Amino acid sequence: MPRAGWVKPASDRRLSDLVSVGVLTRTFPPELVDEVIAESGRMQVRHRSLPARVMAYFSIGMALYSEGSYDDVFSLLTDGLSWSEQWREEYRAPSRSAIFQARARLGFEPMEALFRRVAAPIGRVGGAGVWMAGRRVVAIDGTCLEVPDTEANDQHFGRPGVSKGERAAFPLARMVALAECGTHAIFAANLGTYAQSEATLTEALLPDLAPDMLLVADRGFFSYALWRKLTASTEADLLWRVSTGKSAPKPVFVADLPDGSWLADLKQTHSAAARRAAPMRVRAVDYTIDDGRDHPEAYRLFTTILDPAEADATALAATYAQRWEIESAFDELKTHQRGPRTVLRSKSPDLVRQEIWGHLCCHFAIRSVMVDAATGSGHDPDRVSFVAALRITRQTLAHQGDFSP
């Protein structure tokens, strides 16, 4: 119960008021959680002490309180949920075995569906760093997460080899994600094994690219096949860095443009089928950054924005620098939210996936609240500290009566 004399704050725009245990039910309402669970076929047939809805929130709570035990997370989470005005039932802490069995009954599908249903770009019109030439700037990149060294995880996810025939200490789950550069909101992701390439995992994300987006990617993503597939199946524009070494793509010069960029055609010649395919028209931007080095690194960008009147070469080069925002988003999720050098806790592939989707839901919920708080106070969401928001969230989870849900 709230402490005696507690009065709900008049404004809901302060970060400490917005970020609380209610951030879970605010971003993922109970009705939606129930709907997603039912659609996934995971709704319990008979009444249980650990309903599927509670376990869905528990999966997010594990990410929010990643260093806590099952008992700690469940106690803190359910105290807050029972106190919230949207909850009418109290839950007593069950055994760890019961929690594990309830997680297994839930599976990963409802958590994946919950993230896919809710996560979306959240940058507002006119928001700092969100738009360029009328396009929402989003980035794509991949990362790996260490999972417990069990036989099941090793067989499913695999692990990299190291020197002298040895293997890495832990299996790795690979994730490719899309993030909105102006808000760090991860709004789409695809999970796979270590052996799966980032390009392979990227294909499942194509439906998440909207026509008003500009997709930024580092040079590791480029291939003729992937570029052709994206330009054929999505109306989003592309701005990708490409390598300039011996194995780099060989654009065929077409015309110089007044801003210093140039038009080119991309065409493979390694096979008869490739030679018959129509060339892909791109605009190339070559530049270096004056950082005081004697031999500055050369950059080459390919973009589908062919008209320099829409975005000149300088604007494109500056926009490409925002690709690093997705690296910051991964750092928030892996280093601060999960904990530095922390291995995920789940010992089976399905529960690993459930845990990762829980982390993604948690990160999106916190980022959503940060955008609301920043917008209400007229600040850039990038200037609001994720570490501070995470700390406040954990504090209010532990002392839920002090803050509004």
Side-chain angles (χ1 to χ4, degrees):
M1 295 292 293
R3 66 184 180 214
W6 178 84
V7 179
K8 184 176 180 178
S11 171
D12 63 353
R13 287 299 180 186
R14 290 181 300 170
L15 189 62
S16 59
D17 293 332
L18 282 168
V19 182
S20 67
V21 67
V23 73
L24 304 185
T25 54
R26 174 184 179 276
T27 308
F28 305 100
E31 317 83 60
L32 176 61
V33 174
D34 288 345
E35 180 182 335
V36 167
I37 291 172
E39 291 175 354
S40 301
R42 297 287 182 163
M43 187 66 74
Q44 65 272 10
V45 177
R46 61 185 176 88
H47 179 77
R48 295 181 180 273
S49 60
L50 290 174
R53 179 201 290 181
V54 172
M55 295 316 299
Y57 286 114
F58 181 83
S59 298
I60 307 175
M62 286 196 306
L64 188 60
Y65 199 67
S66 58
E67 296 182 358
S69 67
Y70 272 7
D71 296 340
D72 294 336
V73 176
F74 190 88
S75 177
L76 292 168
L77 180 67
T78 54
D79 282 350
L81 292 176
S82 298
W83 178 80
S84 169
E85 63 181 3
Q86 300 189 58
W87 290 73
R88 304 300 182 188
E89 186 176 354
E90 292 186 0
Y91 298 95
R92 297 184 180 278
S95 67
R96 297 181 185 180
S97 175
I99 295 174
F100 174 81
Q101 292 175 32
R103 285 191 64 202
R105 285 195 301 271
L106 179 67
F108 71 87
E109 294 89 351
M111 300 309 301
E112 178 180 359
L114 188 62
F115 176 79
R116 294 189 186 281
R117 184 75 68 86
V118 173
I122 52 180
R124 312 295 170 83
V125 175
V130 176
W131 304 90
M132 197 284 294
R135 297 162 175 86
R136 189 185 298 271
V137 182
V138 302
I140 188 169
D141 205 357
T143 189
C144 289
L145 296 151
E146 293 180 328
V147 304
D149 185 13
T150 65
E151 183 177 353
N153 284 342
D154 184 38
Q155 291 182 354
H156 180 82
F157 291 108
R159 68 181 86 199
V162 294
S163 61
K164 298 181 181 179
E166 297 179 354
R167 300 190 304 165
F170 297 99
L172 296 177
R174 190 182 298 279
M175 176 178 73
V176 172
L178 295 170
E180 186 178 38
C181 292
T183 63
H184 292 192
I186 298 173
F187 64 90
N190 190 20
L191 307 183
T193 66
Y194 179 75
Q196 291 179 287
S197 69
E198 293 181 347
T200 299
L201 295 175
T202 295
E203 294 183 15
L205 301 179
L206 300 190
D208 296 290
L209 295 171
D212 68 341
M213 290 180 178
L214 175 63
L215 179 65
V216 184
D218 199 6
R219 56 189 169 187
F221 273 84
F222 180 84
S223 71
Y224 288 94
L226 187 57
W227 186 275
R228 187 179 294 278
K229 184 167 291 187
L230 263 73
T231 54
S233 59
T234 178
E235 296 181 41
D237 279 303
L238 308 180
L239 178 64
W240 291 16
R241 185 184 177 188
V242 297
S243 60
T244 56
K246 292 183 178 179
S247 59
K250 302 298 190 291
V252 178
F253 175 83
V254 173
D256 284 320
L257 295 173
D259 66 338
S261 61
W262 46 287
L263 295 178
D265 283 339
L266 295 179
K267 187 169 184 175
Q268 288 180 291
T269 59
H270 68 283
S271 67
R275 288 191 291 271
R276 287 194 299 269
M280 298 178 287
R281 181 62 54 88
V282 299
R283 179 171 159 216
V285 179
D286 294 320
Y287 65 98
T288 58
I289 297 175
D290 186 4
D291 56 4
R293 291 185 295 177
D294 292 335
H295 303 286
E297 186 174 4
Y299 290 78
R300 170 168 289 174
L301 307 179
F302 285 167
T303 182
T304 56
I305 303 177
L306 303 182
D307 187 354
E310 290 190 72
D312 63 25
T314 301
L316 292 172
T319 300
Y320 174 74
Q322 291 195 52
R323 191 204 70 81
W324 291 100
E325 302 295 349
I326 193 171
E327 301 280 3
S328 298
F330 285 161
D331 180 69
E332 293 166 0
L333 189 148
K334 294 174 60 177
T335 302
H336 302 293
Q337 182 176 292
R338 181 195 61 173
R341 298 181 298 279
T342 300
V343 179
L344 298 180
R345 69 177 84 201
S346 303
K347 293 179 171 57
S348 69
D350 278 3
L351 294 188
V352 165
R353 290 177 178 273
Q354 181 192 91
E355 188 175 353
I356 294 175
W357 288 116
H359 269 284
L360 289 167
C361 287
C362 181
H363 184 270
F364 183 80
I366 295 175
R367 269 290 161 189
S368 297
V369 171
M370 292 172 66
V371 168
D372 285 349
T375 302
S377 59
H379 291 90
D380 182 347
D382 283 352
R383 301 299 298 274
V384 180
S385 169
F386 180 85
V387 175
L390 181 63
R391 183 175 62 250
I392 292 170
T393 306
R394 289 170 173 167
Q395 290 172 346
T396 54
L397 184 65
H399 306 287
Q400 71 283 349
D402 295 340
F403 295 91
S404 165

PDB file of all heavy atoms in Angstrom, residues 69-85:
ATOM      1  N   SER A  69      18.225 -12.631  -7.960  1.00  0.00           N
ATOM      2  CA  SER A  69      17.824 -14.027  -8.089  1.00  0.00           C
ATOM      3  C   SER A  69      16.366 -14.099  -8.513  1.00  0.00           C
ATOM      4  O   SER A  69      15.654 -13.095  -8.538  1.00  0.00           O
ATOM      5  CB  SER A  69      18.013 -14.745  -6.749  1.00  0.00           C
ATOM      6  OG  SER A  69      17.096 -14.211  -5.788  1.00  0.00           O
ATOM      7  N   TYR A  70      15.912 -15.319  -8.850  1.00  0.00           N
ATOM      8  CA  TYR A  70      14.496 -15.507  -9.157  1.00  0.00           C
ATOM      9  C   TYR A  70      13.629 -14.970  -8.015  1.00  0.00           C
ATOM     10  O   TYR A  70      12.623 -14.285  -8.241  1.00  0.00           O
ATOM     11  CB  TYR A  70      14.202 -16.995  -9.351  1.00  0.00           C
ATOM     12  CG  TYR A  70      14.402 -17.523 -10.754  1.00  0.00           C
ATOM     13  CD1 TYR A  70      14.962 -16.740 -11.753  1.00  0.00           C
ATOM     14  CD2 TYR A  70      14.033 -18.822 -11.083  1.00  0.00           C
ATOM     15  CE1 TYR A  70      15.140 -17.230 -13.035  1.00  0.00           C
ATOM     16  CE2 TYR A  70      14.209 -19.334 -12.361  1.00  0.00           C
ATOM     17  CZ  TYR A  70      14.767 -18.528 -13.328  1.00  0.00           C
ATOM     18  OH  TYR A  70      14.939 -19.018 -14.595  1.00  0.00           O
ATOM     19  N   ASP A  71      14.014 -15.299  -6.778  1.00  0.00           N
ATOM     20  CA  ASP A  71      13.228 -14.868  -5.623  1.00  0.00           C
ATOM     21  C   ASP A  71      13.169 -13.351  -5.536  1.00  0.00           C
ATOM     22  O   ASP A  71      12.107 -12.766  -5.290  1.00  0.00           O
ATOM     23  CB  ASP A  71      13.827 -15.443  -4.332  1.00  0.00           C
ATOM     24  CG  ASP A  71      13.764 -16.955  -4.280  1.00  0.00           C
ATOM     25  OD1 ASP A  71      12.945 -17.530  -5.019  1.00  0.00           O
ATOM     26  OD2 ASP A  71      14.530 -17.551  -3.507  1.00  0.00           O
ATOM     27  N   ASP A  72      14.325 -12.703  -5.727  1.00  0.00           N
ATOM     28  CA  ASP A  72      14.381 -11.244  -5.633  1.00  0.00           C
ATOM     29  C   ASP A  72      13.499 -10.588  -6.691  1.00  0.00           C
ATOM     30  O   ASP A  72      12.716  -9.686  -6.395  1.00  0.00           O
ATOM     31  CB  ASP A  72      15.823 -10.752  -5.793  1.00  0.00           C
ATOM     32  CG  ASP A  72      16.725 -11.188  -4.655  1.00  0.00           C
ATOM     33  OD1 ASP A  72      16.201 -11.445  -3.561  1.00  0.00           O
ATOM     34  OD2 ASP A  72      17.946 -11.291  -4.886  1.00  0.00           O
ATOM     35  N   VAL A  73      13.670 -11.042  -7.927  1.00  0.00           N
ATOM     36  CA  VAL A  73      12.918 -10.439  -9.031  1.00  0.00           C
ATOM     37  C   VAL A  73      11.427 -10.636  -8.825  1.00  0.00           C
ATOM     38  O   VAL A  73      10.634  -9.705  -8.975  1.00  0.00           O
ATOM     39  CB  VAL A  73      13.359 -11.028 -10.384  1.00  0.00           C
ATOM     40  CG1 VAL A  73      12.500 -10.475 -11.514  1.00  0.00           C
ATOM     41  CG2 VAL A  73      14.822 -10.727 -10.648  1.00  0.00           C
ATOM     42  N   PHE A  74      11.032 -11.842  -8.468  1.00  0.00           N
ATOM     43  CA  PHE A  74       9.612 -12.114  -8.315  1.00  0.00           C
ATOM     44  C   PHE A  74       9.018 -11.297  -7.175  1.00  0.00           C
ATOM     45  O   PHE A  74       7.916 -10.737  -7.299  1.00  0.00           O
ATOM     46  CB  PHE A  74       9.385 -13.606  -8.062  1.00  0.00           C
ATOM     47  CG  PHE A  74       7.940 -13.999  -8.135  1.00  0.00           C
ATOM     48  CD1 PHE A  74       7.380 -14.349  -9.351  1.00  0.00           C
ATOM     49  CD2 PHE A  74       7.135 -13.997  -7.012  1.00  0.00           C
ATOM     50  CE1 PHE A  74       6.048 -14.688  -9.442  1.00  0.00           C
ATOM     51  CE2 PHE A  74       5.800 -14.334  -7.092  1.00  0.00           C
ATOM     52  CZ  PHE A  74       5.246 -14.689  -8.305  1.00  0.00           C
ATOM     53  N   SER A  75       9.730 -11.217  -6.056  1.00  0.00           N
ATOM     54  CA  SER A  75       9.226 -10.468  -4.911  1.00  0.00           C
ATOM     55  C   SER A  75       9.052  -8.992  -5.232  1.00  0.00           C
ATOM     56  O   SER A  75       8.007  -8.398  -4.971  1.00  0.00           O
ATOM     57  CB  SER A  75      10.175 -10.642  -3.721  1.00  0.00           C
ATOM     58  OG  SER A  75       9.737  -9.870  -2.620  1.00  0.00           O
ATOM     59  N   LEU A  76      10.075  -8.387  -5.829  1.00  0.00           N
ATOM     60  CA  LEU A  76      10.006  -6.970  -6.149  1.00  0.00           C
ATOM     61  C   LEU A  76       8.941  -6.682  -7.199  1.00  0.00           C
ATOM     62  O   LEU A  76       8.171  -5.733  -7.093  1.00  0.00           O
ATOM     63  CB  LEU A  76      11.372  -6.492  -6.638  1.00  0.00           C
ATOM     64  CG  LEU A  76      12.489  -6.471  -5.597  1.00  0.00           C
ATOM     65  CD1 LEU A  76      13.839  -6.260  -6.271  1.00  0.00           C
ATOM     66  CD2 LEU A  76      12.243  -5.384  -4.573  1.00  0.00           C
ATOM     67  N   LEU A  77       8.893  -7.526  -8.218  1.00  0.00           N
ATOM     68  CA  LEU A  77       7.968  -7.287  -9.316  1.00  0.00           C
ATOM     69  C   LEU A  77       6.525  -7.437  -8.867  1.00  0.00           C
ATOM     70  O   LEU A  77       5.688  -6.571  -9.122  1.00  0.00           O
ATOM     71  CB  LEU A  77       8.262  -8.253 -10.459  1.00  0.00           C
ATOM     72  CG  LEU A  77       7.378  -8.124 -11.700  1.00  0.00           C
ATOM     73  CD1 LEU A  77       7.636  -6.793 -12.389  1.00  0.00           C
ATOM     74  CD2 LEU A  77       7.623  -9.270 -12.658  1.00  0.00           C
ATOM     75  N   THR A  78       6.195  -8.529  -8.185  1.00  0.00           N
ATOM     76  CA  THR A  78       4.802  -8.768  -7.833  1.00  0.00           C
ATOM     77  C   THR A  78       4.310  -7.842  -6.741  1.00  0.00           C
ATOM     78  O   THR A  78       3.132  -7.521  -6.692  1.00  0.00           O
ATOM     79  CB  THR A  78       4.590 -10.230  -7.407  1.00  0.00           C
ATOM     80  OG1 THR A  78       5.511 -10.546  -6.360  1.00  0.00           O
ATOM     81  CG2 THR A  78       4.800 -11.158  -8.575  1.00  0.00           C
ATOM     82  N   ASP A  79       5.192  -7.376  -5.861  1.00  0.00           N
ATOM     83  CA  ASP A  79       4.779  -6.355  -4.897  1.00  0.00           C
ATOM     84  C   ASP A  79       4.291  -5.122  -5.631  1.00  0.00           C
ATOM     85  O   ASP A  79       3.262  -4.543  -5.311  1.00  0.00           O
ATOM     86  CB  ASP A  79       5.945  -5.977  -3.970  1.00  0.00           C
ATOM     87  CG  ASP A  79       6.169  -7.016  -2.888  1.00  0.00           C
ATOM     88  OD1 ASP A  79       5.313  -7.907  -2.760  1.00  0.00           O
ATOM     89  OD2 ASP A  79       7.194  -6.932  -2.200  1.00  0.00           O
ATOM     90  N   GLY A  80       5.057  -4.718  -6.636  1.00  0.00           N
ATOM     91  CA  GLY A  80       4.667  -3.533  -7.398  1.00  0.00           C
ATOM     92  C   GLY A  80       3.412  -3.763  -8.207  1.00  0.00           C
ATOM     93  O   GLY A  80       2.527  -2.910  -8.277  1.00  0.00           O
ATOM     94  N   LEU A  81       3.289  -4.941  -8.837  1.00  0.00           N
ATOM     95  CA  LEU A  81       2.117  -5.211  -9.659  1.00  0.00           C
ATOM     96  C   LEU A  81       0.863  -5.310  -8.798  1.00  0.00           C
ATOM     97  O   LEU A  81      -0.210  -4.851  -9.192  1.00  0.00           O
ATOM     98  CB  LEU A  81       2.315  -6.505 -10.449  1.00  0.00           C
ATOM     99  CG  LEU A  81       3.391  -6.472 -11.534  1.00  0.00           C
ATOM    100  CD1 LEU A  81       3.532  -7.848 -12.170  1.00  0.00           C
ATOM    101  CD2 LEU A  81       3.054  -5.455 -12.599  1.00  0.00           C
ATOM    102  N   SER A  82       0.959  -5.897  -7.616  1.00  0.00           N
ATOM    103  CA  SER A  82      -0.194  -6.004  -6.746  1.00  0.00           C
ATOM    104  C   SER A  82      -0.631  -4.630  -6.257  1.00  0.00           C
ATOM    105  O   SER A  82      -1.813  -4.360  -6.077  1.00  0.00           O
ATOM    106  CB  SER A  82       0.135  -6.895  -5.540  1.00  0.00           C
ATOM    107  OG  SER A  82       0.455  -8.198  -5.964  1.00  0.00           O
ATOM    108  N   TRP A  83       0.341  -3.737  -6.045  1.00  0.00           N
ATOM    109  CA  TRP A  83       0.028  -2.402  -5.550  1.00  0.00           C
ATOM    110  C   TRP A  83      -0.584  -1.521  -6.633  1.00  0.00           C
ATOM    111  O   TRP A  83      -1.404  -0.652  -6.369  1.00  0.00           O
ATOM    112  CB  TRP A  83       1.296  -1.746  -5.003  1.00  0.00           C
ATOM    113  CG  TRP A  83       1.097  -0.346  -4.514  1.00  0.00           C
ATOM    114  CD1 TRP A  83       0.574   0.041  -3.332  1.00  0.00           C
ATOM    115  CD2 TRP A  83       1.429   0.854  -5.220  1.00  0.00           C
ATOM    116  NE1 TRP A  83       0.556   1.409  -3.241  1.00  0.00           N
ATOM    117  CE2 TRP A  83       1.070   1.934  -4.385  1.00  0.00           C
ATOM    118  CE3 TRP A  83       1.983   1.126  -6.472  1.00  0.00           C
ATOM    119  CZ2 TRP A  83       1.262   3.260  -4.768  1.00  0.00           C
ATOM    120  CZ3 TRP A  83       2.171   2.442  -6.847  1.00  0.00           C
ATOM    121  CH2 TRP A  83       1.811   3.478  -5.999  1.00  0.00           C
ATOM    122  N   SER A  84      -0.205  -1.752  -7.893  1.00  0.00           N
ATOM    123  CA  SER A  84      -0.727  -0.950  -8.988  1.00  0.00           C
ATOM    124  C   SER A  84      -2.239  -1.061  -9.049  1.00  0.00           C
ATOM    125  O   SER A  84      -2.827  -2.100  -8.789  1.00  0.00           O
ATOM    126  CB  SER A  84      -0.132  -1.434 -10.320  1.00  0.00           C
ATOM    127  OG  SER A  84      -0.809  -0.843 -11.405  1.00  0.00           O
ATOM    128  N   GLU A  85      -2.884   0.031  -9.409  1.00  0.00           N
ATOM    129  CA  GLU A  85      -4.342   0.057  -9.436  1.00  0.00           C
ATOM    130  C   GLU A  85      -4.913  -0.889 -10.481  1.00  0.00           C
ATOM    131  O   GLU A  85      -6.098  -1.221 -10.449  1.00  0.00           O
ATOM    132  CB  GLU A  85      -4.829   1.478  -9.729  1.00  0.00           C
ATOM    133  CG  GLU A  85      -4.415   2.009 -11.105  1.00  0.00           C
ATOM    134  CD  GLU A  85      -4.892   3.424 -11.344  1.00  0.00           C
ATOM    135  OE1 GLU A  85      -5.492   3.996 -10.406  1.00  0.00           O
ATOM    136  OE2 GLU A  85      -4.688   3.949 -12.453  1.00  0.00           O
TER     137      GLU A  85
END
